[in-house]
């Protein structure tokens, strides 16, 4: 016959493992919406994400595509040199946002348009996000800034 002390110890160990499994599941569920993967325009067009998936997309703002002042929504296109994705954004753009400049946006891809909820632009003349530089280098469009 097992002693009461040994039985209690086994119950506590089993309870600890169950609590650990539940807490791991809850942490994973909470982080699900907090992780936004980066995709280049080429990746977005090659394998379109679900319409409810929030992700980050970046590249250069295509020349001649920035339309301001028509409504609250600003539209433009983003390219990585190989593909172009139309973007719509409702809100105030950053001061340094301009055509042929690097940007990263967070949002969803719905009906062929990236609907951005947040837009980040460069913060000085030489800065460009690493992800944008990498995708531009892959397509051969990237040009080193002159100092």
């Amino acid at each position: 016959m097992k002693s009461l002390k040994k039985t209690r110890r086994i119950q506590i160990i089993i309870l600890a493992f169950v609590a650990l499994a539940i807490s791991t599941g809850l942490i994973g569920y909470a982080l699900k919406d907090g992780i936004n993967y980066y995709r280049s325009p080429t990746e977005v067009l090659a394998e379109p994400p679900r319409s409810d998936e929030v992700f980050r997309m970046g590249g250069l703002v295509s020349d001649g595509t920035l339309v301001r002042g028509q409504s609250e929504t600003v539209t433009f296109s983003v390219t990585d040199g190989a593909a172009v994705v139309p973007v719509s954004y409702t809100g105030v753009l950053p001061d340094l946002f301009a055509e042929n400049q690097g940007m990263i946006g967070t949002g969803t891809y719905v009906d062929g348009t990236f609907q951005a909820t947040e837009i980040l632009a460069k913060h000085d003349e030489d800065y460009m996000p690493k992800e944008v530089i990498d995708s531009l280098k892959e397509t051969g469009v990237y040009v080193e800034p002159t100092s």
Side-chain angles (χ1 to χ4, degrees):
M1 188 166 157
K2 293 182 183 178
S3 69
L4 184 60
K5 207 176 210 183
K6 193 173 190 177
T7 305
R8 179 64 66 193
R9 191 177 298 145
I10 291 172
Q11 289 173 343
I12 290 174
I13 290 172
I14 291 173
L15 184 64
F17 278 118
V18 169
L20 180 63
I22 290 172
S23 64
T24 302
L26 289 173
I27 289 170
Y29 180 74
L31 287 176
K32 181 180 71 170
D33 292 335
I35 298 174
N36 299 325
Y37 295 106
Y38 174 82
R39 293 193 172 125
S40 67
T42 301
E43 293 169 336
V44 170
L45 293 179
E47 191 175 320
R50 296 182 328 268
S51 61
D52 63 340
E53 180 182 349
V54 177
F55 64 97
R56 293 170 48 213
M57 183 184 73
L60 297 176
V61 179
S62 300
D63 282 332
T65 62
L66 182 60
V67 179
R68 296 182 192 223
Q70 303 299 322
S71 66
E72 291 180 8
T73 302
V74 178
T75 59
F76 55 94
S77 293
V78 174
T79 183
D80 62 356
V84 178
V85 174
V87 178
S88 67
Y89 174 68
T90 302
V92 178
L93 289 171
D95 290 338
L96 295 175
F97 188 87
E99 291 180 348
N100 208 24
Q101 297 295 326
M103 62 76 62
I104 289 184
T106 303
T108 56
Y109 189 67
V110 180
D111 297 330
T113 302
F114 181 72
Q115 297 178 348
T117 55
E118 180 182 22
I119 297 287
L120 303 172
K122 66 178 190 168
H123 64 269
D124 68 18
E125 292 179 5
D126 298 328
Y127 175 77
M128 189 176 297
K130 179 187 179 311
E131 294 93 345
V132 174
I133 291 174
D134 292 344
S135 65
L136 292 175
K137 282 182 179 178
E138 286 177 13
T139 59
V141 177
Y142 181 72
V143 177
E144 286 286 334
T146 56
S147 300

